[in-house]
Amino acid sequence: MAEASDAAPKRSTWESIAVFFERRSLIMLALGFSAGLPNLLLYDTISAWMRQAKIPLDVITLFSLVTITYAVKFLWAPIVDRVRIPGLYQLLGKRRSWMLLVQIGIVFGIWLIATNMPPVSAAVAGSVEGAVQPDPNLNALGVVAVLAVITAMFGATQDIAIDAWRIEVAAVERQGVMAAAYQWGYRLAVVVSGAAPLFLASRIGWTAAYSAMAVVMGIGVLGVLFAPREQSVEPKPFPPATTPAWMEALEWIARIALMAFGACFIGAGLSGKPEPISFMFPWIGIGGAATSFAEAWTAKPWGAVWQVLGVAFGLAVVAFATYPLFKSRPSAYFAGTLKEPLEDFFKRYRTTGALILAMICVYRIADFVLNLMTAFYVDVGFTLDEIAGARKLFGVLMSMAGIGLGGWSVARFGLMRSLIVGAILQPLSNVAFGALVFTGPSLPGLYACIAIDNISAGIAGTALIAYMSSLTSLGFTATQYALFSSLYALPGKILAAISGRIVEGATAAAAAGESGWLRGAFTGMSPRAFAHLVAERGIPAEAFAAGYMTFFIYSGVIGIAALVFAVAVMRRQPPATDANGDAAPAPA
């Protein structure tokens, strides 16, 4: 639990660093790598392969839908909490047996995708450029699409099992280091899965390249085999059958159908993609109706509102589908999907539970609204090469450093103190970007701002993962954490959608003289700042500076909400009401 982390004895600086080199932390690095590897392979990297195979772009983009499985994984998380894998459970325990099973599925899934993908013609094998014509191999994509969905479900299930193992194998004060190790491994896997297949494909072909990635998944398998066994609590057994078999079968079918119906809305909302709803309602996916629906679903800012409403509606459908209307085994199982985990959470945290959920939802909101930073860098006057070097290379390194600092902070100072530090740093780092408004395209300034932002985001993100982990209870670990991690970004969707309007509105007001006092604050700014925009749009540079500074101040102010909620939660610190509600202790 959250308060346990601050009640635990604090480690010295070196003792906190030593936690990174413990067996479970090193295993977590390998498991994080295993979690990150399938994601890019199933959409981003495979799109280059499909383009070389002359697959139309509209078909390629549909493959992004496979990633929706990660957004709705909480729907089948109770299976990971409840079901023992025969044979493997006795050897490895519940979590590791699930990890090994789905890793085998991922390996075979990637390999089958490699062997079933349409071939690349010799004319385009070495380049993705040139004219692309429709190809008769489109029929083979049906098999590949099914394999990609199944493999993505295996990948999402692996995430569920890894998160549950991480929480149950380590005490709360170690969760920061475990979260840091997971993120390091995950980001390394993203780099490998994004670059290695492209490098190998140009030399040995796509089939061999993807087959090699299936072999690389062996890192995760080794992690499972060498991982310590977790401490877990078995959920209560299903009640005996009291209704005829045919009635239970009908109830299973009806509840699963409702869950799938709700999942389409949840997935469409969380991913921002309208295709799941269009697929479910074919009449809105035809002709002009499809275009108008897609535009409404993705438009800014109102599209984000529709997406959040879609998630809310989907959750309401799922809640109805999981409510135990009858005394039957299907009712008992589906109650464990949503009702029982939430009841357990609110039973342990009482009235503070709503405050905790609110804090989780707003904690990263200051980061989510920064969705136009690349446009800001271009407007200030940086070149694309300068932006790429600062964000994609230096920024990744600073993010990794921030993640490590976050893990060390939780181990050294405790969970709640680290959470407070992250809540303070996030809005301050947003306001720091305002310095570029004055300096213009200054590389030292750009690197300094990116360092501050990525380090603070790494600290805050690691602290939040550790905190969400501390909120789970044995018996519902997988389900509760999957719920927290799937839904915490929802409020940021709406606020991120209006970021551009805030900048444009404040810029227009400053250009019209409505906020002359604000424009006057930028009279000493660099003449190079926004120079190309002045030439293109005929608006004074001070107006653009005022627009972006207004946005940065706004993002900093809304970030204060995270600090307010975090302090409120820290002051209340609800005690546990049940010994089973504590986070799993683990031996050193």
Side-chain angles (χ1 to χ4, degrees):
M1 296 179 62
E3 71 280 6
S5 67
D6 289 336
K10 301 302 181 292
R11 294 177 172 82
S12 68
T13 297
W14 293 111
E15 286 174 337
S16 302
I17 294 174
V19 178
F20 283 92
F21 299 96
E22 292 180 350
R23 174 188 171 190
R24 80 197 85 198
S25 302
L26 298 176
I27 293 295
M28 193 74 255
L29 191 68
L31 294 178
F33 183 90
S34 178
L37 196 69
N39 209 330
L40 241 64
L41 291 177
L42 296 177
Y43 168 61
D44 188 84
T45 306
I46 203 175
S47 64
W49 186 355
M50 289 190 288
R51 195 57 172 159
Q52 284 194 340
K54 302 181 181 180
I55 305 301
L57 287 176
D58 57 343
V59 176
I60 293 174
T61 54
L62 289 177
F63 269 71
S64 66
L65 296 178
V66 302
T67 60
I68 290 177
T69 55
Y70 287 86
V72 297
K73 61 187 179 183
F74 67 89
L75 295 176
W76 63 87
I79 299 175
V80 181
D81 270 334
R82 284 186 170 274
V83 177
R84 296 179 177 183
I85 308 299
L88 288 178
Y89 174 83
Q90 288 74 16
L91 292 173
L92 302 173
K94 184 192 294 183
R95 306 307 184 190
R96 292 190 300 157
S97 62
W98 268 105
M99 282 190 272
L100 184 60
L101 180 68
V102 295
Q103 283 173 348
I104 293 172
I106 292 169
V107 169
F108 277 99
I110 294 173
W111 178 73
L112 288 171
I113 288 173
T115 56
N116 284 276
M117 194 65 187
V120 177
S121 65
V124 296
S127 172
V128 295
E129 298 178 356
V132 178
Q133 301 297 329
D135 192 272
N137 286 316
L138 272 176
N139 291 334
L141 278 184
V143 176
V144 175
V146 172
L147 290 172
V149 170
I150 294 173
T151 306
M153 292 189 69
F154 283 137
T157 307
Q158 179 187 220
D159 283 4
I160 296 169
I162 289 175
D163 286 332
W165 176 85
R166 171 178 57 80
I167 294 168
E168 293 175 350
V169 82
V172 174
E173 63 270 15
R174 282 182 167 86
Q175 286 300 325
V177 172
M178 296 291 281
Y182 175 87
Q183 292 177 89
W184 280 341
Y186 194 99
R187 294 185 183 225
L188 178 61
V190 168
V191 173
V192 171
S193 61
L198 301 178
F199 178 82
L200 292 174
S202 63
R203 291 159 175 80
I204 60 176
W206 281 105
T207 299
Y210 259 62
S211 299
M213 291 298 100
V215 174
V216 173
M217 272 296 297
I219 294 174
V221 174
L222 290 176
V224 170
L225 297 179
F226 286 100
R229 191 162 181 156
E230 77 284 349
Q231 176 184 346
S232 61
V233 173
E234 295 301 321
K236 60 185 180 182
F238 289 132
T242 58
T243 54
W246 66 270
M247 290 185 65
E248 282 201 354
L250 287 177
E251 185 179 352
W252 280 111
I253 293 171
R255 288 183 181 272
I256 291 173
L258 276 175
M259 291 275 283
F261 181 77
C264 287
F265 282 92
I266 296 171
L270 291 176
S271 66
K273 298 179 175 66
E275 285 82 2
I277 298 177
S278 300
F279 176 79
M280 189 168 46
F281 300 106
W283 57 86
I284 66 172
I286 301 174
T291 303
S292 58
F293 173 70
E295 289 176 351
W297 194 257
T298 57
K300 293 184 178 182
W302 294 109
V305 176
W306 287 114
Q307 292 165 25
V308 173
L309 290 176
V311 172
F313 176 75
L315 286 174
V317 173
V318 169
F320 177 75
T322 58
Y323 195 79
L325 297 172
F326 315 105
K327 291 183 178 181
S328 62
R329 285 183 294 182
S331 290
Y333 169 77
F334 283 106
T337 304
L338 199 62
K339 178 178 176 290
E340 290 180 5
L342 289 177
E343 282 183 348
D344 169 82
F345 174 78
F346 284 105
K347 183 183 295 183
R348 287 183 293 116
Y349 289 96
R350 300 189 181 96
T351 56
T352 312
L355 182 64
I356 291 172
L357 293 180
M359 192 272 287
I360 290 174
C361 287
V362 304
Y363 189 77
R364 297 300 306 278
I365 210 165
D367 270 350
F368 292 146
V369 297
L370 293 182
N371 60 335
L372 44 66
M373 294 311 297
T374 300
F376 168 67
Y377 299 141
V378 171
D379 286 351
V380 168
F382 292 104
T383 67
L384 297 182
D385 287 343
E386 291 171 340
I387 297 170
R391 295 197 70 185
K392 302 304 182 183
L393 180 59
F394 179 75
V396 169
L397 294 176
M398 290 300 99
S399 180
M400 300 283 270
I403 289 169
L405 283 173
W408 170 82
S409 176
V410 172
R412 176 69 177 85
F413 302 109
L415 181 51
M416 290 307 299
R417 290 181 178 87
S418 301
L419 206 66
I420 296 293
V421 169
I424 293 172
L425 290 178
Q426 288 181 106
L428 289 179
S429 67
N430 287 14
V431 177
F433 280 110
L436 293 178
V437 169
F438 293 94
T439 65
S442 165
L443 278 180
L446 176 63
Y447 276 78
C449 288
I450 285 180
I452 294 170
D453 181 60
N454 286 16
I455 289 175
S456 65
I459 292 172
T462 302
L464 182 61
I465 291 174
Y467 181 69
M468 291 192 298
S469 302
S470 76
L471 299 174
T472 63
S473 63
L474 296 177
F476 297 111
T477 309
T479 305
Q480 289 174 338
Y481 187 82
L483 278 168
F484 295 147
S485 61
S486 292
L487 303 178
Y488 82 97
L490 273 182
K493 272 185 169 288
I494 293 180
L495 293 178
I498 63 174
S499 297
R501 292 204 170 197
I502 292 173
V503 174
E504 292 290 352
T507 300
E514 296 177 11
S515 54
W517 60 273
L518 186 57
R519 277 182 56 181
F522 302 103
T523 53
M525 61 186 289
S526 169
R528 295 191 300 153
F530 308 103
H532 68 288
L533 288 180
V534 173
E536 292 172 6
R537 298 174 58 178
I539 297 176
E542 291 81 4
F544 293 108
Y548 274 109
M549 184 60 78
T550 300
F551 167 70
F552 291 132
I553 294 173
Y554 151 79
S555 67
V557 170
I558 63 172
I560 295 175
L563 178 60
V564 172
F565 279 108
V567 171
V569 170
M570 186 177 184
R571 288 173 63 88
R572 298 186 70 169
Q573 291 191 7
T577 59
D578 190 312
N580 290 335
D582 288 328

